[in-house]
Amino acid sequence: MALDPSRTVAELRELQELTGDADGAQRVAWTDTWVRAKEWLAERVPLEAEVDEAGNQWWTLPARSEKAVLIGGHIDSVPNGGWLDGALNVVAGVEVMRRLAEEGEPATTVRLVNWADEEGARFGRSLFGSSAAAGSMADQDELRTRRDAEGNALPDVLAEHGVDLDRALEARKQLENAAAYLELHIEQGPVLESLDLPLGVVLGTFGVERHQVTFRGQAAHAGSTPMDKRRDALAGAAKLELENREIAKRTGGGAVCTMGSVVTKPGIVTSVVETAECLLDQRHLDPATLASMLEAAKAGSERIAHEEDIEVEWERIWQIEPILFDDDLIELAEESIQEVAGTSHRLPSGPLHDAAEVARAGVPTVMLFVQSLRGLSHTKLEDTKEEHLELAVQALDRLTDRTIAWVGSRP
Ligand SMILES: [Zn+2]
């Protein structure tokens, strides 16, 4: 059976028909629709499915060499999501598995995995299945207390799906023989479209620094306090937001800084702002550069506080290290893209992906991005040209063969 990329597009449309509605994809993990999507997927693979302790679905094409090339994605979606986010790779992976199965025993074991609950849409915990398999899940005590919007406890809902939270980390054994991990995903951003390129190689996922920055001034009457006598905390927030744009611009290399929220108190029209609580998110692929972006923002905030005669205080909310993909696999991915599309491009990923968890576990990893129209995702408007989807399936197929050969050539 030769590779048939147009079948992938047809199957993705069929999946959307089966599990979506007028508002978009509804394959939220740990719901009946998600179960239907998993069953639909299992019917498509010419191999027996195995479900691990974290709810991940695996299909294995065995070979004499137990070293395994993994192809992974996630069939779950956000509510009112797009038809391609996550589903593209598992469905494209099915096509590659069918082609390989038809050709007989591959040179190394090849496995397809559908990760459970990448999106974290129901309980707010992203990358559930992949972090369990990677062994990085360390928040089980906290997860025990999580509830969905209807008040259902996470452990109870998982149990209904055959997953015992206390045993989820036993999924780690699935990565024991993993020698490489490949993931194709829609870009979910505008870069490839702006370059008019169908495909790109992902260098890694951004590190993230997330802080609450609080400026404190003095509440004072809006009518009786002259402009030059004010200690206005909002002025600090406003200046820091503009400073952040300069920091990102001057840093370059894909640097992004976002002040996603400012809460002002007392927050009434008749008072100068006394406190402004800002949420700041900074991302970069290089750890030292990310650290210097944070330093620059802190120094900027001190200068601004001095200028405005206010105080500033920083508190870290969350951080994650940048995760870099494997240099050899990046080369192989680039060759594969050039073979099917002529030109490739290297870019970082702003969003996190299951691939980051697998890479963190020490498995050589790479991702392919295919162009997203208008850069939109997590909405029913998410889309990619059919011809680009077909090129993406071909690139994944070429990359799989190259990776099998690469794994075979390593000691
Ligand atoms: Zn995704």
Side-chain angles (χ1 to χ4, degrees), residues 74 76 84-87 118-119 183 185-186 188 352-354 377-378:
H74 62 93
D76 73 307
L84 299 170
D85 179 1
E118 192 270 352
E119 300 286 3
E183 185 170 330
H185 207 281
I186 51 168
Q188 303 177 288
L352 281 169
H353 291 285
D354 292 308
S377 186
H378 285 192

Side-chain angles (χ1 to χ4, degrees), residues 326-333 406 410:
D326 184 83
D327 287 336
D328 287 355
L329 291 181
I330 288 171
E331 289 291 332
L332 299 182
W406 177 76
R410 279 156 64 93

Side-chain angles (χ1 to χ4, degrees), residues 124-180:
R125 195 338 177 154
S126 305
L127 309 174
F128 178 89
S130 54
S131 67
S136 55
M137 178 184 278
D139 54 352
Q140 278 159 307
D141 287 339
E142 202 257 310
L143 291 180
R144 249 180 283 284
T145 67
R146 291 242 181 156
R147 290 178 183 272
D148 67 9
E150 275 83 54
N152 301 296
L154 178 145
D156 298 344
V157 173
L158 266 57
E160 284 166 24
H161 292 266
V163 173
D164 177 352
L165 181 61
D166 294 319
R167 292 187 54 209
L169 276 163
E170 290 175 32
R172 287 180 80 161
K173 62 180 179 292
Q174 297 292 341
L175 292 188
E176 264 166 23
N177 294 317

Side-chain angles (χ1 to χ4, degrees), residues 59-93:
W59 294 268
T60 303
L61 191 56
R64 221 155 313 158
S65 166
E66 284 189 343
K67 286 197 278 184
V69 173
L70 312 184
I71 303 172
H74 62 93
I75 209 150
D76 73 307
S77 74
V78 295
N80 304 328
W83 66 302
L84 299 170
D85 179 1
L88 170 62
N89 199 37
V90 277
V91 179

Side-chain angles (χ1 to χ4, degrees), residues 78-383:
V78 295
N80 304 328
W83 66 302
L84 299 170
D85 179 1
L88 170 62
N89 199 37
V90 277
V91 179
V94 169
E95 187 60 28
V96 174
M97 292 297 271
R98 281 192 287 238
R99 196 266 300 166
L100 287 166
E102 178 78 10
E103 287 175 8
E105 188 181 300
T108 65
T109 298
V110 182
R111 308 184 71 199
L112 175 66
V113 54
N114 170 31
W115 298 114
D117 201 0
E118 192 270 352
E119 300 286 3
R122 186 164 173 189
F123 292 100
R125 195 338 177 154
S126 305
L127 309 174
F128 178 89
S130 54
S131 67
S136 55
M137 178 184 278
D139 54 352
Q140 278 159 307
D141 287 339
E142 202 257 310
L143 291 180
R144 249 180 283 284
T145 67
R146 291 242 181 156
R147 290 178 183 272
D148 67 9
E150 275 83 54
N152 301 296
L154 178 145
D156 298 344
V157 173
L158 266 57
E160 284 166 24
H161 292 266
V163 173
D164 177 352
L165 181 61
D166 294 319
R167 292 187 54 209
L169 276 163
E170 290 175 32
R172 287 180 80 161
K173 62 180 179 292
Q174 297 292 341
L175 292 188
E176 264 166 23
N177 294 317
Y181 177 79
L182 311 176
E183 185 170 330
L184 162 68
H185 207 281
I186 51 168
E187 184 199 334
Q188 303 177 288
V191 174
L192 291 171
E193 187 180 40
S194 70
L195 295 168
D196 199 19
L197 292 175
L199 292 157
V201 185
V202 186
L203 296 167
T205 56
F206 276 165
V208 183
E209 283 284 2
R210 217 167 268 171
H211 288 81
Q212 176 164 316
V213 187
T214 306
F215 287 98
R216 285 181 222 284
Q218 176 62 56
H221 196 285
S224 61
T225 316
M227 296 309 288
D228 63 349
K229 298 282 183 292
R230 295 180 178 207
R231 299 177 59 225
D232 183 354
L234 183 58
K239 282 186 169 180
L240 182 60
E241 160 61 4
L242 297 178
E243 178 84 10
N244 281 326
R245 287 211 298 213
E246 292 308 312
I247 291 169
K249 197 173 4 166
R250 163 167 103 228
T251 305
V256 283
C257 300
T258 307
M259 193 183 282
S261 168
V262 182
V263 175
T264 60
K265 288 173 190 158
I268 52 172
V269 74
T270 49
S271 174
V272 173
V273 172
E274 181 158 275
T275 64
E277 296 170 355
C278 317
L279 294 181
L280 178 62
D281 178 295
Q282 298 177 295
R283 303 185 188 215
H284 202 278
L285 194 59
D286 178 62
T289 308
L290 181 60
S292 73
M293 285 162 63
L294 176 58
E295 274 318 302
K298 282 186 174 171
S301 73
E302 299 288 347
R303 195 199 68 237
I304 291 163
H306 184 73
E307 287 166 6
E308 297 296 327
D309 192 21
I310 55 180
E311 275 129 50
V312 66
E313 193 181 297
W314 285 68
E315 188 191 344
R316 178 178 275 140
I317 302 168
W318 188 70
Q319 75 173 147
I320 188 166
E321 295 285 301
I323 290 156
L324 297 175
F325 293 154
D326 184 83
D327 287 336
D328 287 355
L329 291 181
I330 288 171
E331 289 291 332
L332 299 182
E334 190 151 80
E335 286 172 21
S336 305
I337 291 175
Q338 277 162 356
E339 188 181 330
V340 304
T343 317
S344 181
H345 178 70
R346 296 181 174 207
L347 71 169
S349 172
L352 281 169
H353 291 285
D354 292 308
E357 287 290 353
V358 182
R360 237 165 23 133
V363 180
T365 293
V366 75
M367 289 185 77
L368 303 175
F369 271 171
V370 63
Q371 190 191 106
S372 286
L373 290 171
R374 295 155 291 161
L376 295 176
S377 186
H378 285 192
T379 153
K380 65 174 179 179
L381 299 175
E382 172 187 290
D383 206 5

